[in-house]
Amino acid sequence: MPSTSARRCLRGEAFHADDVVWGPLVGLLGERLAGDFMYMYATAIPGGVVVHAYKHCSSREYLFLDDVGDAYRYQPVCRGYSRVRLDTAVLDPYAFDLLFGQVDPEALVELRGVYERANRIASSS
């Protein structure tokens, strides 16, 4: 994965999908943790890629995933998206809750497993 400064900013057109796409989120987090998110919108970026925006219900932070489960972060400076490591992106919506101990113990165990799996995926990319 390129350094942050070397990442391309991928701008696109946001749209509201007719059908909500839960597959990438459920595939990453599982049914239980995915239930903590709302589907907000999708953005078509160059290369025919669609990035789905999922908003965490309590932290209000976003997790951006494409159809194959690659992670992105919105970059306000360029008003576009850049690819990020999956293990980093998966923690973004939970950072506040983790910092203040507001994640229930069962969810914490699940989240740890998700993070470890995402770390293995990111490390092999």
Side-chain angles (χ1 to χ4, degrees):
M1 179 84 37
S3 70
T4 303
S5 60
R7 289 189 194 138
R8 287 188 7 213
C9 180
L10 304 167
R11 295 179 77 180
E13 292 293 320
F15 63 93
H16 290 281
D18 292 332
D19 294 315
V20 173
V21 179
W22 290 108
L25 186 69
V26 172
L28 175 63
L29 299 179
E31 291 281 341
R32 184 171 185 268
L33 292 177
D36 293 337
F37 287 80
M38 302 173 276
Y39 186 89
M40 301 306 291
Y41 60 90
T43 302
I45 60 174
V49 175
V50 175
V51 177
H52 303 281
Y54 304 98
K55 188 175 187 179
H56 191 268
C57 292
S58 66
S59 73
R60 316 307 274 176
E61 294 294 325
Y62 281 85
L63 179 58
F64 298 99
L65 301 170
D66 67 16
D67 288 324
V68 297
D70 289 330
Y72 295 79
R73 182 169 287 137
Y74 182 73
Q75 304 293 338
V77 172
C78 69
R79 296 185 307 184
Y81 299 85
S82 62
R83 282 217 33 219
V84 295
R85 285 178 57 109
L86 187 59
D87 54 348
T88 302
V90 78
L91 291 180
D92 286 349
Y94 293 97
F96 181 85
D97 291 347
L98 288 168
L99 183 63
F100 292 101
Q102 297 178 350
V103 179
D104 74 76
E106 289 179 22
L108 189 57
V109 169
E110 288 181 52
L111 185 57
R112 182 183 191 120
V114 168
Y115 174 79
E116 289 171 352
R117 188 172 68 251
N119 181 264
R120 284 192 300 274
I121 292 168
S123 295
S124 68
S125 298

